[in-house]
Amino acid sequence: MDSGIAAILGATVGALGTGGAVVVTGRWGARAVRDQLVAHELRLRRQRRVGRVRERREPRRRAYADFLTQARAVERALGRYRESHTTDLDAFHREVDTLDHLGVRVLLEGPSPVISPSQELIRSAHRCIRPLRNSIGAQERGDAGSPECLDAAASVAEAGLAFTAEVRDFAELARRVLDDDPAVASPAYREGAATTRPG
């Protein structure tokens, strides 16, 4: 083989090798840059999500605290009626109405998992009114030891226990929402969190 041809073949092989290395290196570099951009975008999404959660936490905390404080006021009012045998339900109605009003703030603050439990808590407060009215009526018609009065008092106690359980359940759920527990997050919230995970 002629030395000129050998030199040309050597140069060609060297050029192909160098060109191939440049292509491989370029692709690897492009992939590394793309991976860095994806990682950076994921970090930004996480930061935005954390920022949104922090912005929403304080208004939610206030709404939940006010709602639960009023729920406890309804519990105390129910207890006072059971103990004092008061015949005027206006004060109890006002407490339940205030709870209903504060429930609107919970509806607005969300998230979705607290809406149904807050509304159920309000319905449970309203369900205490009929047994309480029946108990008052039974007391007005007979003595406190009559079977009718005892049954009516038992119905009030049962409604009160159900209401107390609803208060406790809502308080636990509110705490978990404020702790940003993903198990209670809404589907949209979970989807947003999933898009911030690499992979």
Side-chain angles (χ1 to χ4, degrees), residues 33-51:
V33 168
R34 188 179 69 236
D35 290 347
Q36 287 175 346
L37 288 174
V38 167
H40 181 67
E41 183 181 348
L42 291 176
R43 275 193 303 275
L44 289 176
R45 285 183 187 175
R46 277 192 292 269
Q47 288 171 351
R48 282 194 303 266
R49 180 178 171 274
V50 167

Side-chain angles (χ1 to χ4, degrees), residues 122-133:
I122 293 167
R123 283 190 291 275
S124 184
H126 282 280
R127 283 193 293 269
C128 292
I129 293 171
R130 178 176 285 157
L132 194 54
R133 185 180 297 125

Side-chain angles (χ1 to χ4, degrees), residues 10-196:
T12 302
V13 169
L16 288 174
T18 303
V22 167
V23 168
V24 169
T25 304
R27 285 187 182 201
W28 180 80
R31 181 178 209 147
V33 168
R34 188 179 69 236
D35 290 347
Q36 287 175 346
L37 288 174
V38 167
H40 181 67
E41 183 181 348
L42 291 176
R43 275 193 303 275
L44 289 176
R45 285 183 187 175
R46 277 192 292 269
Q47 288 171 351
R48 282 194 303 266
R49 180 178 171 274
V50 167
R52 283 193 305 268
V53 167
R54 284 184 181 153
E55 287 173 8
R56 299 295 304 267
R57 184 172 287 137
E58 186 55 29
R60 283 178 176 167
R61 188 198 64 75
R62 281 193 307 268
Y64 299 165
D66 292 347
F67 185 67
L68 286 167
T69 299
Q70 185 58 34
R72 297 304 304 267
V74 170
E75 282 181 308
R76 287 190 301 276
L78 184 60
R80 282 193 301 273
Y81 275 94
R82 285 176 40 205
E83 294 165 8
S84 68
H85 307 296
T86 304
T87 58
D88 179 18
L89 282 176
D90 289 343
F92 188 75
H93 279 285
R94 282 192 299 275
E95 297 291 359
V96 173
D97 288 344
T98 302
L99 180 68
D100 201 354
H101 173 74
L102 292 171
V104 173
R105 286 182 48 208
V106 174
L107 285 173
L108 292 175
E109 292 298 333
S112 298
V114 299
I115 292 173
S116 180
S118 70
Q119 294 305 295
E120 184 54 37
L121 179 60
I122 293 167
R123 283 190 291 275
S124 184
H126 282 280
R127 283 193 293 269
C128 292
I129 293 171
R130 178 176 285 157
L132 194 54
R133 185 180 297 125
N134 291 343
S135 178
I136 290 169
Q139 290 169 21
E140 290 174 342
R141 287 188 298 276
D143 66 64
S146 72
E148 181 186 12
C149 285
L150 293 176
D151 287 345
S155 293
V156 172
E158 185 179 319
L161 289 173
F163 180 73
T164 298
E166 294 285 345
V167 172
R168 187 178 52 248
D169 291 347
F170 182 83
E172 174 62 21
L173 179 62
R175 184 194 60 75
R176 289 173 53 202
V177 166
L178 292 174
D179 285 345
D180 195 25
D181 185 344
V184 295
S186 69
Y189 183 90
R190 284 193 297 267
E191 287 171 12
T195 61
T196 63

